[in-house]
Amino acid sequence: MAFINPKTKEVQIKIVYYGPGRGGKTTNLEYIYSKFNHRIKSEMVSLKTHGDRTLFFDFLPFDIGKVMGHTLKVQLYTVPGQVKYNATRRVVLRGVDGIVFVADSMKVVREKNLLSLKNLHENLKDYNRSIFRVPLVLQYNKMDLAEQGIPLLSYERLEKDLNTQLKVPSFPASALRGTNVAKTLKKIISMTLPSLQRNLKKEVVN
Amino acid sequence: MEKNENTFTEKVESILDELFAEDDETAETVEESAHVGYYPLRFLKATVLSIDWEITDEVMGRFIDQVERLKEAHQEDKTILPLLQMLGSTGQHIRIFKENAHPTALKVLKSLYLSLEKVMSETAPSEVEKSRLLFREIRKFKALKAQIVEGNLALANRVKPAVVQAASPVEETAPVVTTSDDGDGNAILAAIAELKQFVETEIRQLREEIQSLRTSA
Ligand SMILES: Nc1nc2c(ncn2[C@@H]2O[C@H](COP(=O)(O)OP(=O)(O)OP(=O)(O)O)[C@@H](O)[C@H]2O)c(=O)[nH]1
Ligand SMILES: [Mg+2]
């Protein structure tokens, strides 16, 4: 799926952070940007409402270097999680190579995780893509809230709710603190590599 | 060829490891940092955190119940009680108007909650600091109240019946733009329609706010 430009020898990998509103998608990108910007040297683009909700999407592109004669570029996107912005989510999903589903671990929003995952499933179907085949990682976010005694869904509960059928890699995380944020990102990029490599090979053969 | 494949993945992964290398501090695992202690505000905090633009009766009902319960427990406290009272009525406003609640209302609610958290924390501030905090919150709360009243008046002058207008969730009743995906064009148009809708709502709210500021000046 990755976009290969034979002229410039550039390859683009598109990663989308998906999940319920206020789950922490933007916070993931903000952490990556603030923590690693001295190395990835990039700009982050965000369009937010006055309530700090993502309106259109967030965008963070960066280069990872030259491999097999091609410059590898990664683009991170977040979608707006609010239910009403589905058309925007669909546009952002177009041509996606890998998805991070950011679930909110708070007990009170359990239902929202399920609805959002279902929405992802449906939106992918409209592009004739299957949620069971797209590289996908689950991130169970806001685990740090346990310290304050806030009722959270356990890791096991979240696995049962969201990962019973998918069986994809999953990480408990705190986007606010950065716990497992980089791990999540590295994992999802790695998962897009096999298909990228196949396409690159075709490119080399042609 | 096999060898080539491995080196490709390995190479990219080692670049990634370098790019996103972290110091030990952030590599700490969640389990290690997690410890659950008694915390009187934990339910309220969880509810405050879950109040967002998808505000439901359920969440707001729970919020108000929790505020009431805390009020019972702090009848005597000269700082906590008024903070809770303001939290309660701001919560009521949000509960009634949901997405169309005054845009400042959510901010005031969060600010009130944070002050409450400070006042009730183990390292509570001095009495002087407490009353300063309370005073600041009262001022914000009063400003919000005035804005709401004036906003309603301005609205009533332009469109009646005012209540219907204010309570009709602009963004919710917006036509749901569905797209069968027959190309980029439609999907992008639909996304732009969402954006446009949002901007229009935003501008209308701004106009109302300006109007109310004018009438109060
Ligand atoms: N405690 C805690 N708060 C978090 C964490 N991640 C995000 N938040 C907070 O949750 C709120 C929402 O985070 P965002 O990153 O804006 O959520 P989002 O998924 O981008 O939301 P939308 O753009 O509306 O879809 C913010 O107040 C964040 O500070 C986390 O790991 N722990
Ligand atoms: Mg966001």
Side-chain angles (χ1 to χ4, degrees), chain A residues 27 48 52 77 96 134 171 182 192:
Chain A
T27 309
K48 292 186 187 185
D52 255 6
Y77 286 84
V96 67
V134 174
F171 299 97
T192 67

Side-chain angles (χ1 to χ4, degrees), chain A residues 74-89:
Chain A
V74 175
Q75 298 181 326
L76 306 183
Y77 286 84
T78 75
V79 297
Q82 289 183 80
V83 175
K84 60 190 167 193
Y85 294 135
N86 197 42
T88 306
R89 278 194 294 279

Side-chain angles (χ1 to χ4, degrees), chain B residues 122-154:
Chain B
E122 279 166 22
T123 51
S126 68
E127 290 303 316
V128 181
E129 182 54 29
K130 272 190 198 169
S131 48
R132 209 177 283 150
L133 214 75
L134 179 60
F135 186 70
R136 222 174 29 225
E137 293 302 338
I138 290 177
R139 215 173 40 210
K140 281 189 212 163
F141 178 74
K142 279 192 172 158
L144 169 67
K145 235 169 111 179
Q147 279 173 21
I148 291 172
V149 172
E150 281 154 12
N152 285 348
L153 281 179

Side-chain angles (χ1 to χ4, degrees), chain A residues 25-26 52-54 58 78-79:
Chain A
K25 301 175 290 294
T26 300
D52 255 6
R53 311 298 306 266
T54 299
D58 307 302
T78 75
V79 297

Side-chain angles (χ1 to χ4, degrees), chain A residues 19-28 30 48 52-55 58 78-82 102 141-145 148 173-177, chain B residues 49:
Chain A
R22 291 199 81 59
K25 301 175 290 294
T26 300
T27 309
N28 262 273
E30 281 171 346
K48 292 186 187 185
D52 255 6
R53 311 298 306 266
T54 299
L55 174 55
D58 307 302
T78 75
V79 297
Q82 289 183 80
V102 181
N141 192 31
K142 304 196 185 176
M143 288 291 184
D144 60 285
L145 288 173
Q148 294 168 48
S174 165
L176 202 62
R177 295 206 183 142
Chain B
L49 285 171

